[in-house]
Amino acid sequence: MDVDAFVLAHRPAWDRLDHLVKKRRRLSGAEADELVDLYQRVSTHLSMVRSSSTDAVLVGKLSSLVARARSVVTGAHAPLWREFVRFWTVSFPVVAYRSWRWWLGTAAAFLLVSVALAVWVASTPEVQATIGTPSELEQLVNSEFASYYSEHPAASFAFSVWTNNAWIAAQCVVSAILLGLPIPYILFQNALNFGVLAGVMFGAGRGDVFLGLITPHGLIELTAVFLAAAAGMRLGWSVVSPGDRPRGQVLAEQGRAVISVAIGLVAVLAVAGLIEAFVTPSPLPTFVRIAIGVAAELAFLGYVVYFGRRAVRRGETGDIDNAPDYAPTG
């Protein structure tokens, strides 16, 4: 092999690879693909030089270049703080934003069932009689419902609330393993409890107390549950109707989306728990407590819409980089 001719022919590729390696933190998608291609080609060049030449300087130079390129291709990871920022500005909001139809549909169905039950209970004394005795219902509407939010220390109550809410959301997320089939039942059970309680309170003329205590934390709390349910049911539907892509690929992508939602909702439900523990039972005027709840809800929805829509416009799906195409099997 004519080493000089070989070097002359391939030096532009080596220089280009060296440039991309030095620029590794600012590579575009096309440049990253080019780097991988050049790394493979230059690795081949190194093998050819080693087998046909005794030029130690050239071998050393190419070995160093290939080693640096390999570290970029196989060992480069974004700093932890960048992964953290990407999760909250891309991964979580874009998954939530892309699920908006399922999210909205889940909320509409839940509220429809809850309102129908509340109206039925409030307007039917016979139904109320099956829920409890007159003295029990009186105690509920006049003391138990309100005291529930203030009878425990705020810090421990916040943790208890967060745990309970997280459990409901976790049930929806875990149900994704069963293709989301149990989720409608889980939601119906919660809509039943919500609607019956609302019906009892409104039927006793205490609807203002009910709304004043439920609204501050209930808005963002229910929104989080709806999102968890939407993600789980969307995964189930991806198996039924995967579109023009392989079913396994869609299932894997949606499965990772469910995990993103689960992680993100840990923080959202923590906010709901803090509001329920510190704002709902506080002596603040009712309109102030409701305003805080509405502000938290609007802030969360605004966050999802702003970051989610921006990520969609960039072609982001929220999926992990270099994700496998198919869900792993045992």
Side-chain angles (χ1 to χ4, degrees):
M1 179 179 69
D2 187 332
V3 175
D4 292 335
F6 186 82
V7 170
L8 186 63
H10 297 293
R11 182 178 294 279
W14 303 344
D15 291 342
R16 177 59 178 170
L17 178 60
D18 182 61
H19 171 73
L20 292 175
V21 168
K22 292 177 179 177
K23 188 187 174 183
R24 59 187 178 276
R25 298 187 185 279
R26 303 183 306 277
L27 294 177
S28 65
E31 288 174 329
D33 291 339
E34 183 184 5
L35 187 147
V36 173
D37 178 64
L38 286 173
Y39 161 67
Q40 294 172 338
R41 287 163 53 190
V42 177
S43 295
T44 302
H45 297 165
L46 175 59
S47 298
M48 294 172 63
V49 170
R50 280 175 170 168
S51 62
S52 305
S53 173
T54 58
D55 189 335
V57 174
L58 179 59
V59 170
K61 179 179 179 180
L62 288 181
S63 297
S64 173
L65 178 57
V66 169
R68 288 187 293 119
R70 183 186 301 113
S71 70
V72 175
V73 172
T74 63
H77 298 281
L80 185 59
W81 69 267
R82 288 190 180 179
E83 295 291 346
F84 180 83
V85 171
R86 174 177 168 77
F87 177 82
W88 290 109
T89 59
V90 176
S91 302
F92 175 55
V94 77
V95 169
Y97 184 78
R98 286 180 175 274
S99 303
W100 73 268
R101 291 181 178 85
W102 288 91
W103 197 0
L104 185 60
T106 301
F110 181 95
L111 294 177
L112 180 63
V113 172
S114 297
V115 170
L117 284 169
V119 172
W120 183 46
V121 171
S123 60
T124 313
E126 294 80 6
V127 175
Q128 296 178 30
T130 65
I131 298 172
T133 64
S135 60
E136 290 173 338
L137 294 179
E138 182 180 358
Q139 185 177 3
L140 172 64
V141 300
N142 291 328
S143 61
E144 286 186 357
F145 181 71
S147 64
Y148 166 77
Y149 296 99
S150 56
E151 62 185 3
H152 301 290
S156 61
F157 183 61
F159 179 76
S160 175
V161 167
W162 175 80
T163 303
N164 179 67
N165 295 337
W167 169 241
I168 296 173
Q171 286 179 294
C172 294
V173 169
V174 171
S175 295
I177 299 174
L178 301 175
L179 305 184
L181 295 178
I183 293 177
Y185 175 76
I186 295 171
L187 291 176
F188 177 77
Q189 289 293 107
N190 286 276
L192 178 63
N193 294 334
F194 185 86
V196 168
L197 183 56
V200 170
M201 294 294 291
F202 273 89
R206 302 280 285 174
D208 57 334
V209 175
F210 177 80
L211 293 177
L213 291 173
I214 285 291
T215 304
H217 64 274
L219 288 174
I220 191 169
E221 177 181 293
L222 287 175
T223 298
V225 172
F226 297 154
L227 176 55
M233 289 190 291
R234 189 182 180 205
L235 182 145
W237 184 250
S238 70
V239 176
V240 177
S241 179
D244 57 359
R245 292 190 296 162
R247 182 173 278 103
Q249 181 180 350
V250 177
L251 180 60
E253 180 182 305
Q254 292 304 317
R256 291 187 291 268
V258 168
I259 294 174
S260 293
V261 168
I263 295 173
L265 289 184
V266 170
V268 177
L269 289 171
V271 172
L274 290 173
I275 294 175
E276 187 168 357
F278 292 97
V279 176
T280 298
S282 73
L284 293 170
T286 300
F287 78 91
V288 175
R289 289 186 281 112
I290 291 178
I292 292 173
V294 171
E297 173 75 355
L298 292 178
F300 177 59
L301 294 178
Y303 153 77
V304 169
V305 170
Y306 175 76
F307 286 105
R309 183 162 55 187
R310 189 173 69 167
V312 167
R313 288 174 177 171
R314 297 203 307 264
E316 295 277 4
T317 64
D319 205 358
I320 59 176
D321 294 331
N322 301 317
D325 289 337
Y326 298 96
T329 57

